[in-house]
Amino acid sequence: MAKTKGKMQTGKIKSSSPAAKKRQEKVWKQVEAQREAARRKQTRNRVVIAIVAVLVVAAVALSGYLIAQRGNNIAHASRSAGGAVLSGQSPEKVAALSGQQAVDAAQGILIGQKGVYKATAGVPTIEMWYSYGCPACLNLEHKLGDKVLAFAKDGKANLVLHPVATHALPWTIIAGNASMQVAAEQPEKTLDFHQALIDAGYGVMFAKGEDAGWKDQGNSTIMADPAKSLEKIKEVAKKVGVKDEIINSFKADPQSALLEKWQKQWAEAAGKQTQQVGTPMFASNGKLVENPINQDGSFNEDVLLGK
């Protein structure tokens, strides 16, 4: 028994021999290497998961940004479309200017809810081309002038009035030049003077009645006389409170490089949309309106507002 036990003990002693220890160490090194490899793999997995999570968050954030940006772009495009014009610059750009620069940029008179050369944000833009000696213009504004202005005053649209040189009697040119001079130098009197010129022009042209006025079209009136036209226009300006120094600078010049320039630009732009260019003419957001007036004589509001 003792021998047997000894063998057993001997056997145990053999298992602790140097060779056995080396094999055991080799095994432990392999196990440790496997554990280290497992730890590294687990660490990599965690890093990958973390990176994926960050990327997902970034992707969601980017997606949200792109959606928001797209919304901003659409809104901007909508606003841009709402401020589109056929003549001159957009109401927003005009409103950033003053004096002669604002008049030149608008190619006329910009009217917003808060007054002249002040744009209303987020609304359509209505343009109207007219001349102070055009019978149809005078007739239209005499009857519907307040309603034209109401589009702007009620905040429904920005309104731009573009004077041009159609029916170019001396009155047309002198009144147009005087109106733009007041707009540049005394803007608070712009609308008063404009409306007073319309009333005075209508009174002169149709003094003998509608039929006679349409037939003669001002050719037998003071509208055909530069000196008499200037005198009457100065009188009108005085009544609405235009400054004397401005009134005294009005000229009886039957030609206007400014109005002719604006008329040429308008005719070229409008000619791309219609074969017949004349006054009065309306556009909504840069597109000509074919039927701005209803059969009952009222404005076609939906069309003018681009609905």
Side-chain angles (χ1 to χ4, degrees), residues 195 233 255 264 283 293:
Q195 291 175 294
I233 290 168
Q255 293 184 336
K264 181 180 179 181
I293 309 297

Side-chain angles (χ1 to χ4, degrees), residues 37-86:
R39 282 197 297 269
R40 289 178 180 177
K41 183 177 181 181
Q42 188 176 26
T43 301
R44 284 198 302 270
N45 289 342
R46 287 176 180 174
V47 171
V48 169
I49 291 171
I51 292 173
V52 169
V54 170
L55 290 175
V56 168
V57 171
V60 170
L62 178 60
S63 176
Y65 169 79
L66 292 175
I67 291 172
Q69 188 64 26
R70 182 173 180 270
N72 290 338
N73 290 340
I74 291 173
H76 176 72
S78 177
R79 288 192 298 269
S80 297
V85 291
L86 198 64

